[in-house]
Amino acid sequence: MSDTIHSRPDISYADYLALDQILSAQRPRSDEHDELLFIVIHQASELWLKLSIHELAAARRRTLGHAESRIWPASRAFRGSDGEMTQFSFEAEVIYWRGPSPFFYAPLPAPEAHEIRRISRLVTYGWGMIPVEAMINGVTFTTAMFARDGTYYLPLKDAVRKKANVTAGDRIIVEMTVPPAKR
């Protein structure tokens, strides 16, 4: 890698990334050999979380900042040391399925369903179930999606629906993370 940033020859790589500050931010408090490893791993995790929050906020701005007819689907994949974490932000209409086990769902729009289908083999825990963490109206929950009729369905448990104040026919904004598969 070059010692300068391509568009700014006056800024070095080390200055651009603030390497002096980053590399001096690890301050072990004991003589334990593994303490530095512990600090580095946890600081890296905090940076990944910061990036995740940044990307979710950007996706939310993209979706909430447009008229309903112009909602932009948004997804982003992060490749970390233990696999791919994919984040989505989309709008869906809550449906009530009156099958043998009545339940409420948020069907994924076609672009998001396509992306889930693309990564499904990497993230399923079996039987085509895709574990996710989702947020609706500030309510965060975990569940597992399943494929049916060319899309994926995000189950909305009663406790989640009541807390988020949503029911069949409501249009909702979903922020969702598909974690890397546990192997």
Short mmCIF file of all heavy atoms in Angstrom, two decimals, residues 7-41:
data_model
loop_
_atom_site.label_atom_id
_atom_site.label_comp_id
_atom_site.label_asym_id
_atom_site.label_seq_id
_atom_site.Cartn_x
_atom_site.Cartn_y
_atom_site.Cartn_z
N SER A 7 -6.03 10.40 -3.15
CA SER A 7 -6.58 11.70 -3.55
C SER A 7 -5.98 12.86 -2.77
O SER A 7 -6.22 14.01 -3.10
CB SER A 7 -8.10 11.69 -3.39
OG SER A 7 -8.42 11.52 -2.03
N ARG A 8 -5.21 12.57 -1.74
CA ARG A 8 -4.61 13.62 -0.91
C ARG A 8 -3.16 13.26 -0.62
O ARG A 8 -2.84 12.66 0.40
CB ARG A 8 -5.36 13.73 0.42
CG ARG A 8 -6.81 14.17 0.37
CD ARG A 8 -6.98 15.68 0.23
NE ARG A 8 -6.20 16.49 1.12
CZ ARG A 8 -6.62 16.92 2.31
NH1 ARG A 8 -7.79 16.61 2.76
NH2 ARG A 8 -5.83 17.68 3.03
N PRO A 9 -2.25 13.63 -1.51
CA PRO A 9 -0.84 13.27 -1.30
C PRO A 9 -0.24 13.89 -0.03
O PRO A 9 0.79 13.43 0.45
CB PRO A 9 -0.15 13.79 -2.55
CG PRO A 9 -1.11 14.66 -3.24
CD PRO A 9 -2.49 14.35 -2.73
N ASP A 10 -0.91 14.91 0.54
CA ASP A 10 -0.39 15.54 1.75
C ASP A 10 -0.77 14.78 3.03
O ASP A 10 -0.32 15.12 4.11
CB ASP A 10 -0.89 16.98 1.84
CG ASP A 10 -2.41 17.07 1.86
OD1 ASP A 10 -3.06 16.34 1.07
OD2 ASP A 10 -2.95 17.86 2.65
N ILE A 11 -1.61 13.74 2.91
CA ILE A 11 -2.03 12.96 4.08
C ILE A 11 -1.50 11.54 3.94
O ILE A 11 -1.80 10.85 2.97
CB ILE A 11 -3.57 12.93 4.22
CG1 ILE A 11 -4.11 14.35 4.39
CG2 ILE A 11 -3.97 12.06 5.40
CD1 ILE A 11 -5.62 14.41 4.45
N SER A 12 -0.76 11.10 4.92
CA SER A 12 -0.22 9.73 4.88
C SER A 12 -1.26 8.74 5.36
O SER A 12 -2.23 9.09 6.05
CB SER A 12 1.04 9.63 5.74
OG SER A 12 0.68 9.66 7.11
N TYR A 13 -1.04 7.50 5.04
CA TYR A 13 -1.89 6.40 5.49
C TYR A 13 -1.99 6.41 7.02
O TYR A 13 -3.07 6.32 7.57
CB TYR A 13 -1.29 5.08 4.97
CG TYR A 13 -1.96 3.83 5.46
CD1 TYR A 13 -3.13 3.38 4.86
CD2 TYR A 13 -1.42 3.09 6.50
CE1 TYR A 13 -3.74 2.22 5.30
CE2 TYR A 13 -2.02 1.93 6.95
CZ TYR A 13 -3.19 1.50 6.34
OH TYR A 13 -3.79 0.35 6.78
N ALA A 14 -0.86 6.52 7.69
CA ALA A 14 -0.83 6.51 9.15
C ALA A 14 -1.61 7.68 9.74
O ALA A 14 -2.34 7.53 10.73
CB ALA A 14 0.61 6.52 9.66
N ASP A 15 -1.47 8.87 9.13
CA ASP A 15 -2.22 10.03 9.61
C ASP A 15 -3.72 9.88 9.35
O ASP A 15 -4.55 10.20 10.20
CB ASP A 15 -1.72 11.31 8.94
CG ASP A 15 -0.34 11.73 9.45
OD1 ASP A 15 0.06 11.26 10.54
OD2 ASP A 15 0.33 12.52 8.75
N TYR A 16 -4.05 9.40 8.16
CA TYR A 16 -5.46 9.24 7.78
C TYR A 16 -6.19 8.30 8.75
O TYR A 16 -7.31 8.55 9.16
CB TYR A 16 -5.56 8.71 6.35
CG TYR A 16 -6.97 8.58 5.84
CD1 TYR A 16 -7.73 9.70 5.52
CD2 TYR A 16 -7.54 7.32 5.69
CE1 TYR A 16 -9.03 9.57 5.06
CE2 TYR A 16 -8.83 7.19 5.22
CZ TYR A 16 -9.58 8.32 4.90
OH TYR A 16 -10.85 8.19 4.44
N LEU A 17 -5.53 7.21 9.13
CA LEU A 17 -6.14 6.23 10.04
C LEU A 17 -5.86 6.53 11.51
O LEU A 17 -6.33 5.79 12.38
CB LEU A 17 -5.64 4.83 9.71
CG LEU A 17 -6.05 4.28 8.35
CD1 LEU A 17 -5.48 2.90 8.13
CD2 LEU A 17 -7.55 4.28 8.20
N ALA A 18 -5.14 7.59 11.79
CA ALA A 18 -4.80 7.96 13.17
C ALA A 18 -4.15 6.78 13.89
O ALA A 18 -4.49 6.45 15.02
CB ALA A 18 -6.02 8.47 13.91
N LEU A 19 -3.20 6.15 13.21
CA LEU A 19 -2.57 4.95 13.76
C LEU A 19 -1.86 5.18 15.08
O LEU A 19 -1.89 4.31 15.96
CB LEU A 19 -1.60 4.33 12.74
CG LEU A 19 -2.27 3.69 11.52
CD1 LEU A 19 -1.22 3.11 10.58
CD2 LEU A 19 -3.26 2.62 11.93
N ASP A 20 -1.23 6.34 15.26
CA ASP A 20 -0.56 6.61 16.54
C ASP A 20 -1.56 6.54 17.69
O ASP A 20 -1.29 5.92 18.72
CB ASP A 20 0.12 7.98 16.53
CG ASP A 20 1.36 8.01 15.67
OD1 ASP A 20 1.91 6.92 15.38
OD2 ASP A 20 1.80 9.11 15.30
N GLN A 21 -2.75 7.15 17.50
CA GLN A 21 -3.76 7.14 18.55
C GLN A 21 -4.33 5.73 18.75
O GLN A 21 -4.52 5.28 19.88
CB GLN A 21 -4.91 8.11 18.24
CG GLN A 21 -4.51 9.55 18.30
CD GLN A 21 -4.06 10.09 16.94
OE1 GLN A 21 -3.58 9.37 16.07
NE2 GLN A 21 -4.19 11.40 16.75
N ILE A 22 -4.62 5.04 17.63
CA ILE A 22 -5.20 3.70 17.73
C ILE A 22 -4.23 2.75 18.42
O ILE A 22 -4.60 1.99 19.32
CB ILE A 22 -5.59 3.16 16.34
CG1 ILE A 22 -6.79 3.94 15.80
CG2 ILE A 22 -5.91 1.67 16.40
CD1 ILE A 22 -7.11 3.61 14.36
N LEU A 23 -2.97 2.77 17.99
CA LEU A 23 -2.00 1.81 18.51
C LEU A 23 -1.55 2.13 19.94
O LEU A 23 -0.99 1.28 20.62
CB LEU A 23 -0.81 1.70 17.57
CG LEU A 23 -1.16 1.15 16.18
CD1 LEU A 23 0.05 1.18 15.27
CD2 LEU A 23 -1.75 -0.24 16.28
N SER A 24 -1.84 3.33 20.40
CA SER A 24 -1.50 3.66 21.78
C SER A 24 -2.74 3.57 22.69
O SER A 24 -2.66 3.88 23.88
CB SER A 24 -0.88 5.05 21.87
OG SER A 24 -1.82 6.03 21.48
N ALA A 25 -3.87 3.14 22.14
CA ALA A 25 -5.11 3.06 22.92
C ALA A 25 -5.20 1.80 23.78
O ALA A 25 -6.10 1.68 24.60
CB ALA A 25 -6.31 3.14 21.98
N GLN A 26 -4.30 0.86 23.61
CA GLN A 26 -4.31 -0.36 24.41
C GLN A 26 -3.41 -0.13 25.62
O GLN A 26 -2.21 0.06 25.47
CB GLN A 26 -3.80 -1.58 23.61
CG GLN A 26 -4.64 -1.91 22.39
CD GLN A 26 -4.43 -0.96 21.25
OE1 GLN A 26 -3.32 -0.57 20.95
NE2 GLN A 26 -5.51 -0.56 20.60
N ARG A 27 -4.03 -0.13 26.79
CA ARG A 27 -3.30 0.16 28.02
C ARG A 27 -3.54 -0.94 29.05
O ARG A 27 -4.38 -0.79 29.94
CB ARG A 27 -3.73 1.50 28.58
CG ARG A 27 -3.42 2.66 27.65
CD ARG A 27 -3.78 4.00 28.28
NE ARG A 27 -3.66 5.04 27.29
CZ ARG A 27 -4.68 5.54 26.59
NH1 ARG A 27 -5.89 5.10 26.80
NH2 ARG A 27 -4.49 6.49 25.70
N PRO A 28 -2.79 -2.04 28.94
CA PRO A 28 -2.96 -3.12 29.93
C PRO A 28 -2.74 -2.60 31.35
O PRO A 28 -1.89 -1.75 31.59
CB PRO A 28 -1.89 -4.14 29.54
CG PRO A 28 -1.61 -3.85 28.09
CD PRO A 28 -1.79 -2.36 27.94
N ARG A 29 -3.52 -3.11 32.27
CA ARG A 29 -3.45 -2.67 33.67
C ARG A 29 -2.73 -3.68 34.56
O ARG A 29 -2.65 -3.48 35.76
CB ARG A 29 -4.86 -2.44 34.20
CG ARG A 29 -5.72 -1.59 33.29
CD ARG A 29 -5.85 -0.19 33.80
NE ARG A 29 -6.86 0.53 33.02
CZ ARG A 29 -6.59 1.61 32.33
NH1 ARG A 29 -5.38 2.09 32.31
NH2 ARG A 29 -7.52 2.21 31.65
N SER A 30 -2.29 -4.79 33.96
CA SER A 30 -1.59 -5.81 34.75
C SER A 30 -0.44 -6.38 33.92
O SER A 30 -0.23 -5.99 32.77
CB SER A 30 -2.56 -6.92 35.14
OG SER A 30 -2.86 -7.72 34.01
N ASP A 31 0.25 -7.34 34.49
CA ASP A 31 1.33 -8.01 33.78
C ASP A 31 0.86 -9.31 33.12
O ASP A 31 1.69 -10.07 32.61
CB ASP A 31 2.48 -8.33 34.76
CG ASP A 31 3.15 -7.06 35.27
OD1 ASP A 31 3.16 -6.07 34.51
OD2 ASP A 31 3.65 -7.07 36.41
N GLU A 32 -0.44 -9.56 33.12
CA GLU A 32 -0.97 -10.79 32.52
C GLU A 32 -0.69 -10.78 31.02
O GLU A 32 -0.97 -9.80 30.32
CB GLU A 32 -2.48 -10.90 32.76
CG GLU A 32 -2.86 -11.10 34.19
CD GLU A 32 -2.37 -12.42 34.74
OE1 GLU A 32 -2.38 -13.43 34.02
OE2 GLU A 32 -1.95 -12.43 35.93
N HIS A 33 -0.16 -11.88 30.51
CA HIS A 33 0.22 -11.99 29.10
C HIS A 33 -0.98 -11.78 28.15
O HIS A 33 -0.85 -11.11 27.13
CB HIS A 33 0.86 -13.36 28.83
CG HIS A 33 1.15 -13.60 27.39
ND1 HIS A 33 2.22 -13.00 26.74
CD2 HIS A 33 0.50 -14.32 26.46
CE1 HIS A 33 2.22 -13.37 25.48
NE2 HIS A 33 1.19 -14.18 25.28
N ASP A 34 -2.14 -12.32 28.48
CA ASP A 34 -3.30 -12.28 27.59
C ASP A 34 -4.10 -10.98 27.66
O ASP A 34 -5.06 -10.80 26.92
CB ASP A 34 -4.24 -13.45 27.89
CG ASP A 34 -3.65 -14.78 27.47
OD1 ASP A 34 -2.69 -14.77 26.67
OD2 ASP A 34 -4.14 -15.81 27.95
N GLU A 35 -3.75 -10.08 28.55
CA GLU A 35 -4.54 -8.86 28.70
C GLU A 35 -4.54 -8.00 27.44
O GLU A 35 -5.57 -7.46 27.04
CB GLU A 35 -4.06 -8.05 29.89
CG GLU A 35 -4.99 -6.87 30.18
CD GLU A 35 -4.60 -6.10 31.42
OE1 GLU A 35 -3.54 -6.39 32.02
OE2 GLU A 35 -5.34 -5.17 31.77
N LEU A 36 -3.41 -7.89 26.77
CA LEU A 36 -3.35 -7.11 25.53
C LEU A 36 -4.26 -7.73 24.48
O LEU A 36 -4.99 -7.01 23.79
CB LEU A 36 -1.92 -7.00 25.01
CG LEU A 36 -1.75 -6.17 23.73
CD1 LEU A 36 -2.21 -4.73 23.94
CD2 LEU A 36 -0.29 -6.20 23.28
N LEU A 37 -4.26 -9.04 24.35
CA LEU A 37 -5.14 -9.72 23.41
C LEU A 37 -6.60 -9.41 23.73
O LEU A 37 -7.39 -9.09 22.84
CB LEU A 37 -4.89 -11.24 23.46
CG LEU A 37 -5.82 -12.10 22.61
CD1 LEU A 37 -5.64 -11.77 21.13
CD2 LEU A 37 -5.55 -13.56 22.88
N PHE A 38 -6.95 -9.50 25.00
CA PHE A 38 -8.31 -9.19 25.44
C PHE A 38 -8.71 -7.77 25.02
O PHE A 38 -9.79 -7.55 24.46
CB PHE A 38 -8.40 -9.35 26.96
CG PHE A 38 -9.72 -8.95 27.54
CD1 PHE A 38 -10.77 -9.85 27.61
CD2 PHE A 38 -9.92 -7.66 28.02
CE1 PHE A 38 -11.99 -9.49 28.14
CE2 PHE A 38 -11.14 -7.28 28.56
CZ PHE A 38 -12.18 -8.20 28.62
N ILE A 39 -7.86 -6.81 25.27
CA ILE A 39 -8.15 -5.41 24.95
C ILE A 39 -8.31 -5.22 23.44
O ILE A 39 -9.27 -4.59 22.99
CB ILE A 39 -7.06 -4.48 25.51
CG1 ILE A 39 -7.11 -4.47 27.04
CG2 ILE A 39 -7.21 -3.06 24.96
CD1 ILE A 39 -5.93 -3.78 27.69
N VAL A 40 -7.39 -5.77 22.66
CA VAL A 40 -7.45 -5.60 21.20
C VAL A 40 -8.73 -6.22 20.64
O VAL A 40 -9.43 -5.60 19.83
CB VAL A 40 -6.20 -6.20 20.53
CG1 VAL A 40 -6.37 -6.29 19.02
CG2 VAL A 40 -4.96 -5.38 20.88
N ILE A 41 -9.07 -7.42 21.06
CA ILE A 41 -10.29 -8.08 20.57
C ILE A 41 -11.52 -7.26 20.93
O ILE A 41 -12.40 -7.05 20.09
CB ILE A 41 -10.39 -9.52 21.12
CG1 ILE A 41 -9.36 -10.41 20.42
CG2 ILE A 41 -11.80 -10.07 20.95
CD1 ILE A 41 -9.23 -11.79 21.02
#
